[in-house]
Amino acid sequence: MTLIGFVVLYLLVSVAIGLYAATRVKNTADYAVAGRRLPLVMVVTTTFATWFGSETVLGVPSKFIEGGLESTVEDPFGAAFCLIFVGMFFAARLYRMNLLTIGDFYRHHYGRGVEIFSAVVIAISYLGWVAAQITALGLVFSLLSDGAISTVQGMAIGTVIVLTYTVFGGMWSVALTDFLQMVIIVVGLSLIAWFAADLAGGADRVVAHAAEKDMFNFWPEATFHAWLFWLSSAVTIMIGSIPQQDVFQRVMAARDEKSAVRGPILGGTAYLLFAAVPMFIAVAAFLVMPETAATLLKEDSQKILPALVMEHMPMWLKVLFFGALLSAIMSTASATLLAPTTTFVQNILKNLMPLSDKVELRAMRIAIVVFAACVLAYSIRMEGTPIYELVAMAYQFPVVGAFWPLVLGLYWERSTTQGAVWSIVLGMSTWMLLSLTPLGEAIPSVLAGLVMAGIGMVVGSLLPTAGNRAHREHRARHSRPQHAGSRPHA
């Protein structure tokens, strides 16, 4: 059987598992959070597999080769610590609230206005992340077909495949396919790293080469400007992913509070450790095929790792590599298609019209199809943008528009709706001002937006207004946990 034949077989198995999972979906809670029945091992695998996407296999090694560990502070370091922080500080409190989406939290604490705005911010933020996965799928299919399938055609094929099982099975499909995909990722990339080290003359030689090129330098230059932008990169995913639906869904899908807490901590730790494997393989490529790697470094460093596999590894390792790569991409794509669409239906559409559980479930499935079409169009429009950059752009919105209302809503009793509004207005306006003007070259827009959003949250909450008094009375009346999917009056 040819390489593409093995890949097609793997894709069919993944779709079959996803469709089998659809038989477990009876209502919106099953679809959005797997009925809160996932054991710890599946919470770990789904958090790991969701984070371990195209940017980890293709984007992170590219950034590591070009700029060392310093350039990877956003991902994998920021991404891993996001999951760890979610487990340590957010999972238990959110799990006890028994909500369906992260947007429900904003409604419960701040009312429908903040709920709708946060839902829009969260949904938009997924556009770049899903686009990165669709772009990677297009690249993979183009490579597998030796150019017979164009990147754009590959994007369309990949979108249809992921959409097929996600639209029917929801979170159950995501969880079950993630379990299979994590196994393939770990086994496949580990064996490829072992083989690449052997071709390069030993793992110690690969590490020595990276050290010689100063790739292990993690800290920025000792200047105020460099530190500001390094910190801004660090917080983009580390903080921007905390108020996100995909992370929230994994917490809420756990069968008990302990699993909800331990799952993201273990998943984040595993992600941080295993993200080093693709970096190692990419460095080995410079020892195995120095001329080809040097050429690709100038043209498109994302292709170095696939080129090493295609040119220097036996068929069975090629199968494992593309199985692992497709696993990484599909696990992330399915989760990031599901998250914004459940948020849209639960926190935007439901505020516009009453929906029964059956109608809401149908609406979620329709919304996934529509969002997938939008993502495909955006991916084609952004073709040529590095995968790492597409992912990085996706998280800026929640950092400045959703983080502080979540944190202080959980930990500060005096937080109010007015504070949340001030936080959103100051954070977003600061971010936009710096992003759209030359000032952004001196002051990082994300970090400045985060600081101003925090100031707005505190000042707006402390100002004595009638609105704040009404908010505290609302909080007192609705302090009891809600059932998943329930909608308390705002």
Side-chain angles (χ1 to χ4, degrees), residues 222-414:
T223 65
F224 184 69
H225 181 271
W227 270 95
L228 273 183
F229 279 84
W230 185 84
L231 287 172
S232 182
S233 295
V235 302
T236 299
I237 297 182
M238 188 187 302
I239 287 178
S241 289
I242 290 176
Q244 287 285 56
Q245 177 63 15
D246 60 306
V247 177
F248 177 84
Q249 280 178 300
R250 277 134 195 80
V251 170
M252 296 304 291
R255 66 183 178 188
D256 53 55
E257 187 177 315
K258 286 184 178 180
S259 298
V261 171
R262 294 172 182 172
I265 293 175
L266 293 173
T269 303
Y271 176 74
L272 181 60
L273 295 174
F274 203 74
V277 175
M279 297 187 212
F280 176 88
I281 298 170
V283 174
F286 280 85
L287 297 175
V288 177
M289 48 176 208
E291 293 182 3
T292 302
T295 301
L296 289 176
L297 181 61
K298 296 177 183 177
E299 296 176 357
D300 186 355
S301 56
Q302 295 176 131
K303 295 181 179 179
I304 293 175
L305 203 157
L308 172 67
V309 175
M310 291 295 288
E311 295 178 15
H312 295 275
M313 300 210 172
M315 176 61 73
W316 67 275
L317 275 177
K318 291 178 184 179
V319 171
L320 278 176
F321 171 75
F322 282 101
L325 180 56
L326 285 170
S327 293
I329 298 169
M330 290 168 60
S331 62
T332 301
S334 59
T336 49
L337 277 175
L338 180 65
T341 50
T342 53
T343 298
F344 169 77
V345 173
Q346 176 73 1
N347 303 115
I348 298 177
L349 190 61
K350 239 183 170 182
N351 276 305
L352 301 178
M353 62 182 73
L355 299 174
S356 66
D357 191 80
K358 184 177 180 180
V359 173
E360 184 179 357
L361 180 57
R362 187 184 306 124
M364 286 181 178
R365 285 171 167 152
I366 294 171
I368 284 183
V369 176
V370 174
F371 186 73
C374 293
V375 168
L376 179 59
Y378 180 73
S379 302
I380 294 171
R381 174 69 180 81
M382 298 296 289
E383 186 182 1
T385 304
I387 292 169
Y388 196 95
E389 301 304 323
L390 283 172
V391 173
M393 289 189 293
Y395 293 102
Q396 296 182 16
F397 296 100
V399 173
V400 300
F403 176 70
W404 286 115
L406 173 64
V407 174
L408 296 188
L410 285 173
Y411 282 97
W412 191 37
E413 291 185 356
R414 298 193 64 180

Side-chain angles (χ1 to χ4, degrees), residues 3-44:
L3 174 59
I4 197 165
F6 279 111
V7 170
V8 169
L9 179 61
Y10 166 71
L11 292 173
L12 290 174
V13 170
S14 295
V15 171
I17 292 173
L19 293 178
Y20 164 74
T23 61
R24 300 189 177 204
V25 176
K26 308 300 180 185
N27 52 47
T28 53
D30 287 336
Y31 194 78
V33 291
R36 291 167 65 95
R37 286 180 284 173
L38 296 186
L40 175 60
V41 64
M42 293 192 73
V43 179
V44 173

Side-chain angles (χ1 to χ4, degrees), residues 35-381:
R36 291 167 65 95
R37 286 180 284 173
L38 296 186
L40 175 60
V41 64
M42 293 192 73
V43 179
V44 173
T45 56
T46 195
T47 50
F48 173 90
T50 299
W51 245 236
F52 208 97
S54 61
E55 69 281 2
T56 318
V57 180
L58 302 175
V60 170
S62 171
K63 297 293 287 187
F64 177 64
I65 289 168
E66 293 173 359
L69 283 180
E70 179 187 342
S71 63
T72 65
V73 63
E74 196 164 343
D75 189 9
F77 290 95
F81 277 99
C82 165
L83 291 178
I84 293 169
F85 290 157
V86 165
M88 291 174 65
F89 304 112
F90 297 89
R93 289 171 181 258
L94 289 171
Y95 190 84
R96 290 175 206 143
M97 296 183 71
N98 199 16
L99 304 172
L100 195 64
T101 69
I102 191 69
D104 291 347
F105 171 85
Y106 292 102
R107 179 187 63 249
H108 176 71
H109 281 272
Y110 306 115
R112 286 195 174 95
V114 175
E115 172 197 9
I116 292 173
F117 182 83
S118 66
V120 170
V121 166
I122 289 168
I124 291 175
S125 72
Y126 280 97
L127 197 59
W129 196 9
V130 188
Q133 313 314 314
I134 299 303
T135 299
L137 283 172
L139 176 63
V140 170
F141 285 121
S142 181
L143 285 172
L144 285 172
S145 65
D146 198 23
I149 298 175
S150 69
T151 301
V152 172
Q153 291 170 334
M155 289 180 188
I157 294 170
T159 301
V160 171
I161 291 171
V162 174
L163 188 60
T164 299
Y165 66 82
T166 308
V167 74
F168 292 106
M171 188 61 196
W172 268 118
S173 288
V174 171
L176 290 182
T177 53
D178 278 357
F179 184 82
L180 167 69
Q181 288 160 349
M182 179 180 172
V183 172
I184 294 174
I185 289 169
V186 172
V187 173
L189 289 180
S190 295
L191 288 172
I192 289 165
W194 183 282
F195 200 86
D198 185 60
L199 289 174
D204 56 339
R205 192 167 173 227
V206 176
V207 174
H209 180 76
E212 181 184 332
K213 298 294 182 180
D214 200 27
M215 293 183 183
F216 294 130
N217 182 32
F218 183 68
W219 307 108
E221 296 178 12
T223 65
F224 184 69
H225 181 271
W227 270 95
L228 273 183
F229 279 84
W230 185 84
L231 287 172
S232 182
S233 295
V235 302
T236 299
I237 297 182
M238 188 187 302
I239 287 178
S241 289
I242 290 176
Q244 287 285 56
Q245 177 63 15
D246 60 306
V247 177
F248 177 84
Q249 280 178 300
R250 277 134 195 80
V251 170
M252 296 304 291
R255 66 183 178 188
D256 53 55
E257 187 177 315
K258 286 184 178 180
S259 298
V261 171
R262 294 172 182 172
I265 293 175
L266 293 173
T269 303
Y271 176 74
L272 181 60
L273 295 174
F274 203 74
V277 175
M279 297 187 212
F280 176 88
I281 298 170
V283 174
F286 280 85
L287 297 175
V288 177
M289 48 176 208
E291 293 182 3
T292 302
T295 301
L296 289 176
L297 181 61
K298 296 177 183 177
E299 296 176 357
D300 186 355
S301 56
Q302 295 176 131
K303 295 181 179 179
I304 293 175
L305 203 157
L308 172 67
V309 175
M310 291 295 288
E311 295 178 15
H312 295 275
M313 300 210 172
M315 176 61 73
W316 67 275
L317 275 177
K318 291 178 184 179
V319 171
L320 278 176
F321 171 75
F322 282 101
L325 180 56
L326 285 170
S327 293
I329 298 169
M330 290 168 60
S331 62
T332 301
S334 59
T336 49
L337 277 175
L338 180 65
T341 50
T342 53
T343 298
F344 169 77
V345 173
Q346 176 73 1
N347 303 115
I348 298 177
L349 190 61
K350 239 183 170 182
N351 276 305
L352 301 178
M353 62 182 73
L355 299 174
S356 66
D357 191 80
K358 184 177 180 180
V359 173
E360 184 179 357
L361 180 57
R362 187 184 306 124
M364 286 181 178
R365 285 171 167 152
I366 294 171
I368 284 183
V369 176
V370 174
F371 186 73
C374 293
V375 168
L376 179 59
Y378 180 73
S379 302
I380 294 171
R381 174 69 180 81

